Amino acid sequence: MNAPRWLLAAALCLATEGKAPLFATKADAVQAIAAAAVRAKRENRRVLVEWGANWCSWCSMLQGLLETDPKVRRTVLYEYEVVRVDIGRFDRNVELAASYGVDFTRGIGIPYLSILDADGKLVANHDTYTLERKEIGKKGHDPEKVLDVLARNQAPYLAADAVLAAALASSVADGKRVLVWFAAPGSVECRKFEAWASSAEVAGILAKDFAPTKIDVERTLGGKELLKGLRKNEKKTLPWFAVLDAQGTPIATSEPEGGANVGFPSDPSEIAHVADMIRKAARTITDADVDAVGRSLAEFHEKPADDGPAPEPAPEPDPDPAPDPEKDG
């Protein structure tokens, strides 16, 4: 005989006691989804909205699957920007959910998934009840079923040469040069490089003369081949970056003359090489700007190490009482 859901929920609450809540009860969900859409557009990904609550045991089980199953975790990391939206006792963010076609007044259980494109438009809605394991004695969600939903609704891959061609055309029209970098989603160094390059100070300086363009070697068609045609050193280190002229020919690259790719620059000689790259290709960027970029690299490496994606803001503690078992799952 299967245990009642309220008992399963209570057991899971005991197992997860002391951990940070999954859902931020005071977060601005509209703003969070909008910010995720901006990131998704930049990375050619989709937004995965998980509607749920901290009292929901099945929400915790789904999160466990997303974090621990290798195939599911990789797909989420590579293809989605995840936003967890708290619905409280089905009395928070319900109007927002309804705007995406999710009507909780009709008895829909949680967690519930909405997949949005990079413009914030709905691609698909999917319950998670049908994604649960059906084997007797096994609780949780079936990895293959979850993976199927994610894979079917991910963004189509772009052609790397088309991405670069569009960037070159746009940069010429704006009187700039393309600063292209090649990266992979699973690379810690690539994520650090992107966090540094997208910081307000650095991005503002680089935007004066350059049009930043990223080529994902694992998620663009022909990305690896395009990289191979541009770089001199065959060592497969990433990120690799270059400033290109209007014809797409490198003016300066992250490979010092006779040296190896600097990747995400950390030591003084690597940082000096980046400064030289900017000076060589810049048109309006000043020496003071270049010095500021160099300082920002040095300061970035002085911060505590972060080997994973930037964490979400810590959620507020959930003030709600014990869960309603009829609404869980």
Side-chain angles (χ1 to χ4, degrees):
M1 181 176 179
N2 291 337
R5 284 200 167 191
W6 68 265
L7 184 58
L8 294 173
L12 193 67
C13 285
L14 289 173
T16 58
E17 187 175 359
K19 293 184 178 180
L22 288 177
F23 295 87
T25 58
K26 296 183 180 180
D28 185 332
V30 173
Q31 186 179 49
I33 292 174
V38 170
R39 297 192 301 271
K41 183 178 284 292
R42 186 173 64 236
E43 301 291 342
N44 185 40
R45 293 176 180 158
R46 292 266 159 90
V47 177
L48 177 64
V49 180
E50 179 186 343
W51 310 94
N54 291 320
W55 54 260
C56 169
S57 63
W58 288 90
C59 295
S60 296
M61 282 189 274
L62 179 61
Q63 184 62 26
L65 176 67
L66 298 182
E67 292 176 350
T68 61
D69 183 86
K71 291 182 179 179
V72 174
R73 182 179 180 183
R74 184 184 190 278
T75 300
V76 172
L77 174 66
Y78 279 47
E79 308 299 340
Y80 288 92
E81 297 290 334
V82 180
V83 181
R84 294 190 294 271
V85 178
D86 176 60
I87 63 159
R89 298 288 157 192
F90 297 88
D91 58 0
R92 294 186 192 132
N93 296 309
V94 290
E95 291 184 0
L96 176 62
S99 72
Y100 292 106
V102 184
D103 186 358
F104 286 116
T105 65
R106 300 177 61 184
I108 295 175
I110 55 174
Y112 194 89
L113 305 178
S114 293
I115 296 175
L116 315 179
D117 66 16
D119 293 318
K121 296 180 180 178
L122 181 68
V123 173
N125 279 325
H126 209 290
D127 68 90
T128 57
Y129 174 76
T130 56
L131 305 181
E132 294 175 14
R133 292 179 179 273
K134 302 305 179 184
E135 303 95 328
I136 296 176
K138 291 187 177 181
K139 299 296 180 182
H141 301 87
D142 187 320
E144 293 302 321
K145 292 179 180 179
V146 173
L147 187 63
D148 177 65
V149 171
L150 296 175
R152 280 191 288 109
N153 293 291
Q154 69 186 46
Y157 286 171
L158 303 174
D161 56 356
V163 172
L164 183 58
L168 288 169
S170 176
S171 65
V172 169
D174 293 338
K176 297 182 179 181
R177 287 168 168 162
V178 169
L179 170 61
V180 62
W181 73 87
F182 293 79
S187 166
V188 171
E189 290 298 295
C190 289
R191 294 202 298 271
K192 289 179 178 178
F193 178 86
E194 290 163 24
W196 166 77
S198 62
S199 64
E201 180 185 28
V202 176
I205 292 173
L206 296 179
K208 292 181 179 181
D209 286 340
F210 306 125
T213 303
K214 175 184 173 181
I215 303 292
D216 187 325
V217 297
E218 296 189 39
R219 296 183 60 261
T220 55
L221 305 177
K224 293 180 181 178
E225 291 75 14
L226 182 58
L227 171 59
K228 186 176 180 179
L230 289 172
R231 73 190 310 173
K232 297 177 182 178
N233 194 313
E234 290 300 318
K235 290 184 179 180
K236 299 179 180 180
T237 56
L238 294 173
W240 185 93
F241 47 99
V243 179
L244 310 179
D245 64 17
Q247 288 71 45
T249 302
I251 297 172
T253 79
S254 56
E255 296 173 345
E257 191 66 32
N261 174 36
V262 300
F264 181 36
S266 57
D267 67 42
S269 64
E270 293 172 342
I271 294 174
H273 177 69
V274 172
D276 289 341
M277 283 182 64
I278 296 174
R279 288 192 180 94
K280 183 176 181 180
R283 290 171 172 166
T284 64
I285 290 175
T286 65
D287 286 341
D289 289 332
V290 176
D291 291 342
V293 170
R295 284 195 305 272
S296 71
L297 272 170
E299 292 169 357
F300 189 96
H301 287 285
E302 292 173 358
K303 297 178 182 178
D306 176 14
D307 291 337
E312 295 184 3
E316 295 288 336
D318 190 355
D320 291 339
D324 177 357
E326 295 303 318
K327 292 290 189 177
D328 186 7

